[in-house]
Each structure stands twice: as C-alpha cells, then as structure tokens.
Amino acid sequence: MHLPDPRRLSPHILGWLGPACMALFAGLLRFVRLGSPHAVVFDETYYVKDAWTMLMTGEARDWPDKVGPRQLPVDQLFAQGDTDHWLGSAEYVVHPPVGKWCIALGLKLFGGAGNPFAWRAATALAGTIAVLILCRVALRLFHNLPIALMAGFLLSIDGLGLTMSRTGLLDNFIMVFALSAFACLLAHRDWARDRLHRAYARDSADPVAPFVERANRPGRLFSHPPGHRRHRVPTGSPLVLDSSGPFIACSWWRLGAAVLLGLATGTKWSGAYFFAVFAILSVLWDAYERRRAGYRGWLAAGVFKDGLPAAAYMVPAWAATYLASWAGWLAHTDGYLRDWAATHPGQGQTWLPPALRSLVEYHQEMWRFHTSLDTPHPYMANPLTWPLQIRPTSFYWQELPDRPGLCTLSPGTDCVASVTSLGNPILWWLACVCCFLGLLVALLFRRGDWRYLAVISGPLAGWLPWVQYLHRTTFTFYAVVILPWMILAVCYLADWLRLNLPTHAYRRTCSVALWTLGLVSLFFYPVWTALPVPYWFWAIHMWLPSWV
C-alpha cells in the first residue's frame, strides 16, 4: 500500500492527523491492561457501584458493607462479579449524576459490572479524547504543529492523567468537559475576530466613516484624512473608527461551551468555577479584539454589547443543562429526599413545585456536606501543594504472594502492585516554573499577550477556588482538571523560545526536555498501572517521604 508523503499533505489535514495519532498513542497507554487491578480501587466503591445501580434501577442505591454468612466485604464480591447485593433504599450521593451516568454508559457497552475494564472504559475514553482536544487547542493558540503535538504527548504520558484515566472516578470528566468548552470559546474568539476585521474593512471603506484620534479621549471626529488607505488601521495607529463594531455576542460555539460547562457542573460542582472564569474570559477576549480591530467603543461594547447578551443565554443554557442532569432523580419518586416536600409541607422554597422544592433541599444538604467535610484521611492534601505533587494519593496497594510479572527478576524480595495517583514530578515542577516565567514573558516581552490569560485560566478556575477550603478533606488527584493548562504553560514558554532562540538551540532544548520527561514517565509507569514489581523497585520511586 502506498502511503501519502506527509510533506504533501495540507496543513489542515496535518492539523487533524497529527493530533489523531497522538490520541491513538494515549489510548494505548490508557486501554491496555485497563482491567488491572481486578479490584475496586479507592472511590470506585462509590462511583462504580452508584453507576451500576443507576443503570439497573434508575437511581443510586445503598450497599451493605458486608454480605453473606461469612460476612465478606461487598467490594470483594463486586470485583468477583457478584454485583447484585444493593439494597432497596436510595443512597445519599453528594455529587450530581453526569459523571456516574458516563461510567454507567461504559458498563453498558463493555460487559457490565462483572468486568473491571467496563468500570473504567468511560474515564479512559475521556482521557484519550482530552489528548486530541488539547492538541487542537494548542494548535489554535500557537499555530505550530510540533508544539501542539508536544502538548498531546505530555498529556499522554503524565501519571496523574494516566491514573485518572484508568480509574472509575469523576474528575476526568470535569477535565474533558472543561477543556472542550475552552476549545469552543477559542473557536468563538477566532470567529468573532474575523467578523470584526471584515466589518472594520467594510466600515472604514466608507468615505464618510468617522475616525477619531486614539490619544484624544474627548474625540475629534473626521472623515478619512488625505492619503489614508481604506482598510484596517493597524494596532497602535493613532486613528480608530468611532464605532463599537458589529454584534458578536452570540455564536453556536459559545452556546456549546455553556452546555459543556453545564455537564462539567453536573459531574461535580467545581465545574461552576470553570463556567464563571471562562465566561468572563470570553467577554474580555471580545473586548480586546474590538480594540485590536480598530473600534473606539471597545470597552463599553465589551460590557453591554458582548457581556450582557452573552450572559443572557449562556447562564440559562448552563443552568438548564445542569438541571437536566437531574432528570433521573426527578423521574423516580424513590430517590434520596425525593419526597421531602410531601413530608415537610410549608417548608423550604414553597413557591416551587414539590419536586423542585425537594431538589433544592437536597442541594442544601449536599452543600452542608461539602463545606463541613474535614474528616482526617491519610492521603488528604492541602490544595496549595497540589501543583507540586507533594502528597499524591495511593489508590491501590497489594502484596502478591505468587510473584508474577517483573517480580520474577528479583526472587529474594517481596512483590507488590500499586496505583499511585502521582503526576510526572518533573513535568509538574517544570509547569509551575513555566507559569511564573510565562507571566514575565507576557508582561515584559509580549506586552500583555492574551494567550497567557488563556493558559492561566485553567488554574484560576480549577485550583485557586480550593484555597478557600484549606480546612476541607481534599486530595491531590483533584488537580487533574488543571493538567491541560499546566501543559499549556510549558507550551507557552516553548513558543516564546521558538521565536527567540536559534533553531538548533530550540530543537536541542525541546529534545532534551521531552526525552527526559518521557523517560521519567517510563520509569514511573509500573507504579501508575499496578504492574507487579519487587518492593525495592517500588521504594526507589518514592522520592519524597510524603509520597509513601
């Protein structure tokens, strides 16, 4: 078979083919041996069993801790394929249902709850799709395919992204929904920019188009000065058009972003922070592009012509999507607190229908749970330490008496298998440095580059809000939602180096960095994926005492 020469393919085709190949690579890392370990891992005891009962009965059901005359742990029986021990009572779940419905879809498509592969298929698919989307996001930001593929490669090999893609938890869904919404808002920005520049070219061609001197704030209006070329005034020109420009608040891209962020919020409430930050960011981009295009009233237009109309449909779309995620609970009268309104007449939000009044009470109870959760846990981690991966979460640890796998190479030592939700430490530490260096580059060399605000928006939405909950029981693996933007911070600095270093120096720098990061991930891969290894091999991966 004759393969096409990549050098003859169009940039558009390469811009999809390269990310698709990188996603295929990521999928191999995520799907191969996905059924290992053959056990209920960490919080899978909640989410997988909830998803299974939702699939079977429509609502999450309670489970006993132990069953049978021998009082065997229900998780042990569940892992062995004995999956029908749920109770008739509804379970009190503290997260919205979208993520669990995603897990339920994987259970439906890949063999049911008796197959651990099926427990994790949806999260593995989400992690794979995220690589494709991140490549496209990086390509749209930096217009350089090697940097876009670098972003996909780093997301493919990072340990936090890998372990969260190979475990039936919820946070991977927040990450992929938020990243997809971010991609939509970038597409809206490009659409709005093109619309603004076409409108400016048309408006400025009018012989009586009113221009004003940029430096003269009161504004002295005049038509085209002698010799003025009738096309877009370059950024920095003393002349701007005395107009706010066309209406750009509404686009299908923005509506899609609102729906995706509604799904993120319908997975965990932390998705609401992404909605708030991304919505504001998108409006700021619109105002900035009005200014760059050459329109005078860009600030007021950004608020009143872009911001308010965008909020008028994005907020309802986001809220409606979130409410729709509770359709199953509303449809089943035996859900947790579903009959609260009937048993508490005259209480709560009495102006609402009974079902919604019960839903509001349920949400208030969930809020009390989340804001007061301070039960000590051996792997709880202060949110301030998440980006540095100071206290990773041990999802799974098991000593293996039969000594399979790599343990055969070291017969005199204990054999263990583990899943440690630890990011590639070199990548995360490098990304933290790049976040700060990127700020200096944006302020000192790129004069307020809008792309840095795009890069830092993920940590602003997915990490900074947790600072207000330092007392709460939290875990480092929550940081998977900001992983794509930490990688974009590395790419941002790489893009600046690409334009400011000699080509050979830039390529050598990137090669050394990527080879180093790849080899570190290869070194940690066994302790991310429950490969049986000698105990001493596991121990040499515990670089910090807090990792044990």
Side-chain angles (χ1 to χ4, degrees):
M1 182 177 65
H2 178 70
L3 296 176
D5 185 352
R7 292 171 296 182
R8 297 184 179 181
L9 296 176
S10 69
H12 177 75
I13 293 177
L14 287 174
W16 281 102
L17 183 60
C21 291
M22 195 58 66
L24 178 62
F25 169 68
L28 291 174
L29 295 179
R30 282 151 177 77
F31 280 96
V32 172
R33 296 182 59 256
L34 183 59
S36 296
H38 197 106
V40 176
V41 172
F42 202 66
D43 280 353
E44 284 183 342
T45 187
Y46 304 115
Y47 306 134
V48 172
K49 290 189 296 186
D50 283 351
W52 180 238
T53 53
M54 289 166 67
L55 188 63
M56 293 293 99
T57 72
E59 270 298 296
R61 303 296 172 186
D62 274 327
W63 292 77
D65 293 329
K66 297 181 179 181
V67 296
R70 298 171 57 191
Q71 288 295 285
L72 295 176
V74 71
D75 284 355
Q76 178 183 332
L77 294 174
F78 193 91
Q80 294 171 357
D82 192 357
T83 61
D84 60 353
H85 292 288
W86 68 80
L87 305 175
S89 55
E91 184 177 0
Y92 170 41
V93 294
V94 296
H95 293 299
V98 169
K100 283 163 283 189
W101 279 119
C102 292
I103 295 173
L105 181 61
L107 291 169
K108 180 70 174 178
L109 296 178
F110 294 98
N115 180 11
F117 182 98
W119 304 350
R120 302 157 187 157
T123 52
L125 181 60
T128 302
I129 292 173
V131 171
L132 174 64
I133 296 172
L134 182 61
C135 287
R136 294 293 302 174
V137 163
L139 187 60
R140 194 177 285 271
L141 280 172
F142 305 114
H143 304 287
N144 182 265
L145 184 58
I147 287 182
L149 297 180
M150 178 195 302
F153 175 73
L154 295 179
L155 183 55
S156 298
I157 66 169
D158 179 69
L160 191 57
L162 268 172
T163 55
M164 295 304 291
S165 295
R166 297 174 61 89
T167 312
L169 305 187
L170 303 180
D171 302 81
N172 234 33
F173 300 119
I174 306 174
M175 184 263 284
V176 75
F177 286 139
L179 183 60
S180 300
F182 185 72
C184 287
L185 293 177
L186 281 174
H188 167 84
R189 178 196 167 273
D190 288 350
W191 169 84
R193 179 197 59 205
D194 293 343
R195 183 177 173 85
L196 284 166
H197 289 177
R198 288 196 303 269
Y200 186 92
R202 182 178 62 252
D203 295 343
S204 61
D206 189 341
V208 295
F211 281 85
V212 65
E213 293 181 82
R214 190 186 297 271
N216 185 4
R217 292 193 179 276
R220 180 168 58 86
L221 301 180
F222 48 88
S223 298
H224 289 287
H228 177 73
R229 296 178 64 189
R230 297 181 180 180
H231 56 68
R232 178 179 176 273
V233 176
T235 302
S237 168
L239 303 180
V240 294
L241 192 62
D242 188 50
S243 168
S244 63
F247 184 74
I248 56 172
C250 296
S251 73
W252 290 109
W253 291 115
R254 247 187 187 152
L255 181 61
V259 171
L260 287 163
L261 292 168
L263 293 173
T265 310
T267 301
K268 279 188 176 182
W269 283 354
S270 53
Y273 295 120
F274 281 97
F275 175 74
V277 170
F278 286 179
I280 294 172
L281 178 68
S282 182
V283 172
L284 290 176
W285 283 345
D286 281 357
Y288 179 67
E289 289 303 325
R290 286 184 187 277
R291 184 180 186 277
R292 289 186 67 190
Y295 286 103
R296 183 191 185 196
W298 60 272
L299 182 57
V303 175
F304 299 105
K305 203 169 184 178
D306 299 329
L308 294 182
Y313 74 92
M314 288 186 74
V315 172
W318 168 74
T321 303
Y322 176 78
L323 182 60
S325 72
W326 287 91
W329 183 90
L330 292 168
H332 291 81
T333 57
D334 61 343
Y336 183 81
L337 283 188
R338 180 63 175 78
D339 61 348
W340 183 88
T343 57
H344 295 77
Q347 298 183 32
Q349 307 298 321
T350 55
W351 56 276
L352 288 173
L356 293 181
R357 188 153 58 97
S358 297
L359 185 61
V360 170
E361 177 62 24
Y362 193 175
H363 277 62
Q364 290 175 347
E365 187 165 324
M366 291 166 63
W367 175 259
R368 288 190 290 269
F369 171 85
H370 286 300
T371 54
S372 62
L373 180 62
D374 56 4
T375 305
H377 191 283
Y379 289 102
M380 63 187 297
N382 189 310
L384 295 177
T385 68
W386 294 354
L388 296 174
Q389 299 291 296
I390 299 297
R391 184 56 173 163
T393 311
S394 177
F395 281 173
Y396 175 81
W397 167 272
Q398 187 67 44
E399 294 187 14
L400 306 174
D402 51 349
R403 311 187 57 77
L406 298 178
C407 294
T408 57
L409 302 178
S410 184
T413 59
D414 293 335
C415 183
V416 300
S418 67
V419 176
T420 304
S421 188
L422 167 70
N424 182 315
I426 306 302
L427 173 58
W428 279 84
W429 298 340
L430 174 63
C432 290
V433 172
C434 289
C435 283
F436 288 103
L437 292 181
L439 177 62
L440 296 179
V441 168
L443 294 178
L444 300 179
F445 301 104
R446 289 182 162 175
R447 299 175 181 263
D449 185 9
W450 68 272
R451 291 176 298 181
Y452 181 75
L453 188 57
V455 166
I456 207 66
S457 64
L460 288 177
W463 172 67
L464 190 60
W466 287 97
V467 174
Q468 62 184 314
Y469 300 116
L470 296 181
H471 67 284
R472 190 183 182 278
T473 305
T474 59
F475 302 94
T476 297
F477 68 81
Y478 294 175
V480 72
V481 300
I482 67 171
L483 174 57
W485 289 270
M486 299 298 285
I487 290 170
L488 287 176
V490 176
C491 294
Y492 183 84
L493 196 65
D495 181 64
W496 182 75
L497 293 175
R498 176 177 65 90
L499 299 175
N500 290 275
L501 287 181
T503 301
H504 69 281
Y506 167 73
R507 290 179 177 175
R508 187 176 297 115
T509 301
C510 288
S511 296
V512 170
L514 292 176
W515 272 104
T516 301
L517 292 169
L519 290 173
V520 170
S521 287
L522 182 63
F523 175 67
F524 277 93
Y525 187 78
V527 302
W528 291 335
T529 60
L531 279 170
V533 296
Y535 177 82
W536 64 263
F537 183 83
W538 172 86
I540 64 174
H541 290 75
M542 301 297 106
W543 292 355
L544 302 179
S546 58
W547 288 5
V548 178

